[in-house]
Amino acid sequence: MAPEGVEQVELTDPWQAVKDAGHTPVLVSTEPGEIQAFNHLDKADTFPVDRAVADTSAGDYGALVLPGGVANPDFLRMDEKAVAFVRDFFEAGKPVASICHGPWTLVEADVLRGRTLTSWPSLRTDIRNAGGEWVDEQVKVCEAGPGTLITSRKPDDLKAFCEAFTAEFAKVADG
């Protein structure tokens, strides 16, 4: 996460889904301290950062969830360490889940070639320009590459998104 700009419900619902599935979520940010979440354009709650991206690696985790919010992924894609962190999950073949504007970071990480995914509709051209195929679906699970990519369009899709990625994450935990 970036220090600010994550859509709160896109953080809290997946966080709870990971906990409900018996796993321990970890909030990784580009900066230590806390992040400022938003409800659309209004400030919402703050959340403590567990680890700074500079002090951790994809090898420390089994999977990755990238929430959206317009500002969060825009900040992340400008941070080389955050982009490398995301790219490392793909190179390691670990599952990645991303919702709404979250795939902007995937575009910057250059991990979408040959993959099919969904997102907030305004990312459609960016995804296509990055070599991905954009579809307008509630949830898209793409296994065309190292690691599975699970994507959704918007907060209204959160229930289906959480069900899809926790099912995929369970395969990794069981394997």
Side-chain angles (χ1 to χ4, degrees):
M1 242 70 68
E4 66 177 11
V6 69
E7 184 70 27
Q8 182 161 315
V9 71
E10 293 176 11
L11 167 64
T12 56
D13 282 17
W15 185 277
Q16 189 62 50
V18 169
K19 288 177 70 173
D20 290 348
H23 306 289
T24 304
V26 177
L27 198 154
V28 177
S29 180
T30 56
E31 300 290 333
E34 62 183 25
I35 64 159
Q36 174 67 61
F38 281 75
N39 290 324
H40 304 292
L41 299 176
D42 298 323
K43 285 187 176 182
D45 298 325
T46 59
F47 297 89
V49 171
D50 295 312
R51 310 262 318 254
V53 73
D55 301 326
T56 193
S57 72
D60 296 334
Y61 310 99
L64 175 66
V65 177
L66 287 169
V70 176
N72 176 56
D74 197 43
F75 288 132
L76 289 179
R77 66 184 178 158
M78 298 301 294
D79 185 295
E80 291 179 25
K81 290 179 182 170
V83 172
F85 180 74
V86 169
R87 186 181 307 113
D88 289 349
F89 277 87
F90 285 87
E91 290 175 357
K94 296 181 177 190
V96 174
S98 186
I99 188 167
C100 203
H101 288 80
W104 261 340
T105 310
L106 305 178
V107 167
E108 191 66 31
D110 194 23
V111 295
L112 297 181
R113 294 179 199 291
R115 292 202 179 251
T116 302
L117 64 153
T118 193
S119 68
W120 186 254
S122 67
L123 277 66
R124 174 179 47 234
T125 301
D126 296 326
I127 289 167
R128 288 179 180 152
N129 288 342
E133 179 184 342
W134 187 87
V135 295
D136 184 12
E137 297 178 15
Q138 185 179 40
V139 175
K140 181 64 184 173
V141 177
C142 178
E143 297 176 336
T148 301
L149 176 60
I150 306 100
T151 52
S152 280
R153 301 169 299 190
K154 56 190 174 182
D156 289 347
D157 299 336
L158 275 164
K159 184 175 187 296
F161 176 65
C162 291
E163 289 171 358
F165 84 71
T166 55
E168 187 60 38
F169 289 8
K171 294 178 192 175
V172 173
D174 293 342

